[in-house]
Amino acid sequence: MTGRIGWAGLPAQVRAGIEGILGDAVVAAASQPGGFSPGSADRVRLASGRTAFVKAVSADVNTTSAALHRREAGIAAALPDGLPVPAFLGSYDDGTWVALAFTDVDGRHPAEPWVDAELQHVLDTLDRMGRVSLQGSPALPRCEDSLRGAFQGWEKLRKRPLDGLDPWASDSLDTLAGLAQRGLAAVAGTSLVHGDLRTDNILLTGDGAVLVDWPWACTGAPWVDALGVLVNVTSLDPAANPELPLAHHPVFAGVPAGDVDGVLAGYAGYFMDMSRRPEPPGIPALRAFQRKQAEALIAWLRQRLPHTDALTGT
């Protein structure tokens, strides 16, 4: 998704800092594709034969990416054992460059577009993860707090209209804004939520799915990540039918349809509002990705909410 530097392109002091964390010299590195960070992402092999995963970014390229690496370092260090995540090995931070090291995961990303068996595999993993309560954890914010500003996207679009917005969405701004507020309440809970799941943040292994890249982690409803995966499914393949797993997979059992609509509306407004902003430094593809996500969500909501007058009372 982005052009990125490799291990050899990192400053010498950053490489030395990472090798200090790993306790060994890096003798080979393979850059990994995917994601939106303008930094490095390498699977490295050490002189001892061990492997690890390392990612690094400079605040001189993108201050937000560096801040997210710092946030992820704190989150990764605080996550309890037994979760489907790579083990955190340590971080390097010189004030400009921030680097994180993890155990290497022998896996691959799900296919694009998604295939049913892999989707089932990931949803099963999320169902198990959602049963782990993190109530009382001081390290993670609550999802409803993290998303409060994001879920005001439709209100921002109402105040500052966007040319080219889907006509159905334009006619439904009040309804969508109201649904997004319901969605904000619906995401509350005590389960661990990744907050940014798509194919490039998931690795499939022989033992199950492993979830990587955790800067947006929070505590929330146990089905929020699974719904995020279905958003990724439909954005990669407009012909996909996300209603089937939504109706039949246990991770969604008992979730009110209106709560699903609310979260979808919240994310749709966020992505659409963000898509009209200038490209962030070093991440030229992000706004197009956000627009694609927004359009996929609007299309899905339009199918789920064909009669907005019934919702608005008009």
Side-chain angles (χ1 to χ4, degrees), residues 177-313:
L179 281 172
Q181 290 309 299
R182 173 169 178 168
L184 193 62
V187 300
T190 61
S191 296
L192 175 64
V193 175
H194 179 283
D196 191 30
L197 280 186
R198 51 183 191 265
T199 54
D200 55 295
N201 287 338
I202 300 169
L203 291 169
L204 301 175
T205 75
D207 298 323
V210 176
L211 314 180
V212 302
D213 293 341
W214 284 84
W216 301 110
C218 55
T219 55
W223 50 273
V224 172
D225 276 335
L227 187 63
V229 169
L230 296 189
V231 172
N232 188 233
V233 168
T234 190
S235 68
L236 290 171
D237 181 9
N241 183 5
E243 293 292 335
L244 288 176
L246 189 61
H248 299 293
H249 196 280
V251 72
F252 299 111
V255 180
D259 285 359
V260 172
D261 295 336
V263 176
L264 294 179
Y267 279 123
Y270 167 73
F271 284 128
M272 186 59 74
D273 178 55
M274 293 297 293
S275 73
R276 61 181 173 178
R277 301 190 181 191
E279 295 283 6
I283 315 178
L286 180 60
R287 300 309 183 209
F289 169 78
Q290 290 171 331
R291 182 66 180 246
K292 183 178 180 181
Q293 293 273 93
E295 290 174 347
L297 281 163
I298 289 171
W300 189 4
L301 281 163
R302 188 170 185 172
Q303 293 176 356
R304 291 179 60 86
L305 308 171
H307 303 297
T308 56
D309 55 346
L311 296 168
T312 60

Side-chain angles (χ1 to χ4, degrees), residues 8 23 57 60 68 75 107 120 122 133 142 196 221 250-251 255 269-270 305:
V57 70
D60 288 341
L68 289 177
I75 290 170
Q120 179 76 26
V122 171
S133 176
R142 301 186 305 174
D196 191 30
V251 72
V255 180
Y270 167 73
L305 308 171

